[in-house]
Amino acid sequence: AQSVTQLGSHVSVSEGALVLLRCNYSSSVPPYLFWYVQYPNQGLQLLLKYTTGATLVKGINGFEAEFKKSETSFHLTNPSAHMSDAAEYFCAVTGSGGYNKLIFGAGTRLAVHP
Amino acid sequence: EAQVTQNPRYLITVTGKKLTVTCSQNMNHEYMSWYRQDPGLGLRQIYYSMNVEVTDKGDVPEGYKVSRKEKRNFPLILESPSPNQTSLYFCASSLSQGAGEKLFFGSGTQLSVL
């Protein structure tokens, strides 16, 4: 079975500071990994994903994540936070069975203050 | 505009009164799915559909029904709602059922069962 653990339900950073949102996963098969973002009162949007190939993947709005198999991690970073990045971020892994079922973490709410 | 449309956006009902949450996508997607989002638990899959007339249970299907009579529509039915079904519900779709496909989410339906 697959599972996702997001460390820290709330993260607060200053505008312009580094953002680091942590995600660890468990999977019995090679994982596909995702980060989705949920802005207030909206549905989730895909930020980036890792399937195969390059382990450092870049997404929208300056975000990137690195797949580290040895650490079973897929942490999300942004070198410079903007006020508009305030949202809830979900890490997800594909479930077993080969179809498009995502197992989500509990989410991390990012606050950006001036 | 490509989108997943859910209705209603907010719904307050009483225990036992049947309700339907509608979901429609205009992207000719094969795969559709329903998730519920609860604080501290992230999103959990309720039901999914790989194509017309093909549906199956997700991780938390108890108390819910779905149907997929047309490719674009995937309604969620609560035959006898209970307070533990108070939650934020999301419909999602992807082009195919394959793992790794980008999921498109609706804006959500906030359901309160009194």
Side-chain angles (χ1 to χ4, degrees), chain A residues 12-20 63 77-83 85 110-114:
Chain A
S12 181
V13 300
S14 300
E15 194 172 16
L18 171 72
V19 175
L20 171 60
F63 284 92
T77 60
N78 190 314
S80 178
H82 294 93
M83 299 295 286
D85 294 328
L110 175 66
V112 182
H113 52 86

Side-chain angles (χ1 to χ4, degrees), chain B residues 5 65 71 109 114:
Chain B
T5 303
K65 285 176 57 177
K71 198 171 187 179
T109 296
L114 305 177

Side-chain angles (χ1 to χ4, degrees), chain B residues 27-90:
Chain B
M27 296 168 280
N28 200 37
H29 282 177
E30 281 189 353
Y31 180 83
M32 298 186 74
S33 180
W34 277 101
Y35 284 85
R36 61 178 286 173
Q37 182 182 4
D38 300 290
L41 297 177
L43 284 79
R44 295 175 291 167
Q45 190 183 57
I46 304 170
Y47 268 94
Y48 64 93
S49 169
M50 295 199 184
N51 215 322
V52 175
E53 302 291 4
V54 181
T55 64
D56 208 345
K57 296 176 180 178
D59 293 322
V60 288
E62 294 78 20
Y64 305 94
K65 285 176 57 177
V66 293
S67 67
R68 187 95 180 271
K69 292 184 170 55
E70 306 165 284
K71 198 171 187 179
R72 63 183 294 127
N73 295 323
F74 190 46
L76 179 69
I77 303 156
L78 284 71
E79 294 270 3
S80 182
S82 62
N84 64 11
Q85 294 179 297
T86 292
S87 186
L88 179 57
Y89 292 86
F90 287 101

